[in-house]
Amino acid sequence: MADRAGQAADEGALLVAYADSLRTHDIALATRCLELAGIASFRVNNLEGALERWERGVAWAREAGALKPESSLLNALAIGHTARGDVEAALPVYDRALELREALADTLGLTRTWGNLAQAYTNMGRTGEALSATLEEERWLALVDNPRGRV
């Protein structure tokens, strides 16, 4: 595990360095590097590092008006808040991600975000809201022609 954590830390640091160098040239790629750096941290239970990288990416994407990267990073950020046990903080982040994904007509992204939101509600014991979110996920699954959505 120590080797894996060290490798993830090295990869994450490299991705952050790439993000810093790419920021002025390609914001979509720079924010994707931050998203992946956050995922690397998340995988080795460095949740605070992951959240910091995702928040930084969200800020960069907002500043640049890059809606698709922002929506993806918001989804990751909300998952991070949920994993930390702060589901209440995740809910407005999910709302913003859903708003952006609808504006972008990102049906696959909507599917993923509704599914993640359903899990967050489940973690909170809010069964009714979890079921509603699951129904929305299923609706979007059907629209992306996913066999799981064809019931």
Side-chain angles (χ1 to χ4, degrees):
M1 179 68 175
D3 288 340
R4 185 174 169 216
Q7 181 181 0
D10 292 344
E11 290 169 357
L14 184 59
L15 285 164
V16 170
Y18 287 154
D20 287 335
S21 68
L22 288 166
R23 183 177 180 194
T24 59
H25 303 290
D26 188 337
I27 194 65
L29 189 53
T31 55
R32 181 68 176 147
C33 286
L34 286 176
E35 184 176 3
L36 292 172
I39 290 168
S41 292
F42 188 86
R43 286 186 176 151
V44 294
N45 297 318
N46 178 4
L47 191 51
E48 294 309 312
L51 290 169
E52 183 274 325
R53 289 169 174 175
W54 292 329
E55 288 169 351
R56 186 175 173 192
V58 167
W60 286 7
R62 275 191 188 145
E63 183 179 301
L67 300 181
K68 184 141 178 76
E70 181 183 350
S71 71
S72 184
L73 283 154
L74 285 168
N75 192 59
L77 185 59
I79 290 168
H81 283 301
T82 301
R84 186 170 63 181
D86 192 3
V87 182
E88 289 295 335
L91 296 179
V93 179
Y94 278 125
D95 287 344
R96 177 66 178 151
L98 289 168
E99 175 186 313
L100 289 177
R101 289 183 172 203
E102 277 199 38
L104 294 164
D106 180 2
T107 54
L108 186 57
L110 281 160
T111 300
R112 289 182 182 139
T113 303
W114 277 111
N116 293 333
L117 182 57
Q119 185 60 52
Y121 281 131
T122 298
N123 292 348
M124 297 173 74
R126 292 166 62 171
T127 307
E129 289 159 306
L131 289 172
S132 293
T134 299
L135 288 173
E136 279 297 314
E137 176 193 20
E138 294 295 326
R139 183 171 75 97
W140 289 105
L141 278 170
L143 290 173
V144 295
D145 198 30
N146 186 311
R148 197 174 129 215
R150 285 187 246 132
V151 189

